[in-house]
Amino acid sequence: MVAALILREGAGGTEVFICQRKPDQPMSLKWEFPGGKIEPGEGPEEALVRELNEELGISAKIGQRVAQVRHKYRNGGAVDLQFFVVKEFQGPMVNRIFNDMRWVSLASLPGYDFLAADLGLIRDLSEGKLL
Ligand SMILES: Nc1nc2c([nH]c(=O)n2[C@H]2C[C@H](O)[C@@H](COP(=O)(O)OP(=O)(O)OP(=O)(O)O)O2)c(=O)[nH]1
């Protein structure tokens, strides 16, 4: 699983782009970072470029990998997540699959109901420990 921390500089400091899952999806209405599963034969960066194009219609330049997390969900599923920074992309963001999506300041991240696997990362980002 790969996901993107898409960053921009806003008036109040660094902002990141977050997405909310649809009501009919598993873990409905939770917030997450855009991304998805790596298909057989793909590298992580290649998979993330594809996912960001499918989900948001953008053409992204994938930067540094800044975090890796393994998490066991209570339903028994385990996820292995890799997070990459994206600072450059082309094209307007188009909402293709999400319930909602928005730019938010790093400090405001803990106010959103994120997927459990993301919570450590959310804390680090909001405390300025990662970027
Ligand atoms: N995109 C994304 N997925 C995350 C994050 N945190 C986290 O635990 N996940 C989990 C949720 C999903 O189980 C998996 C993402 O894969 P996916 O997007 O292809 O899966 P999905 O559940 O949305 O849909 P499906 O294809 O499995 O039906 O990783 C995150 O920040 N972003």
Side-chain angles (χ1 to χ4, degrees):
M1 210 315 288
V2 286
L5 304 176
I6 307 177
L7 303 177
R8 74 175 187 189
E9 292 309 313
T14 305
E15 296 177 338
V16 62
F17 194 75
I18 65 172
C19 302
Q20 186 181 39
R21 296 167 71 88
K22 288 224 157 114
D24 57 355
Q25 272 185 294
M27 304 187 278
S28 64
L29 300 177
K30 294 279 186 182
W31 290 86
E32 65 179 14
F33 297 102
K37 297 192 183 78
I38 304 176
E39 303 285 351
E42 277 183 333
E45 287 93 347
E46 194 182 346
L48 190 51
V49 166
R50 177 184 49 73
E51 290 283 353
L52 295 178
N53 187 258
E54 288 173 4
E55 297 180 351
L56 302 172
I58 60 171
S59 178
K61 184 175 164 198
I62 310 302
Q64 287 256 103
R65 189 178 76 173
V66 290
Q68 178 157 25
V69 179
R70 266 194 75 78
H71 183 83
K72 281 204 170 102
Y73 278 105
R74 256 182 277 174
N75 63 18
V79 283
D80 194 345
L81 306 111
Q82 300 184 62
F83 294 91
F84 291 84
V85 164
V86 170
K87 291 182 175 170
E88 291 176 52
F89 63 88
Q90 286 182 308
M93 299 261 201
V94 180
N95 185 352
R96 298 230 170 107
I97 61 159
F98 297 108
N99 190 59
D100 193 2
M101 47 185 222
R102 56 181 79 162
W103 289 99
V104 302
S105 71
L106 296 180
S108 73
L109 283 171
Y112 293 88
D113 186 17
F114 266 85
L115 289 173
D118 295 10
L119 293 179
L121 176 69
I122 293 300
R123 192 179 53 239
D124 288 350
L125 286 168
S126 68
E127 292 174 358
K129 286 184 181 158
L130 199 67
L131 299 173

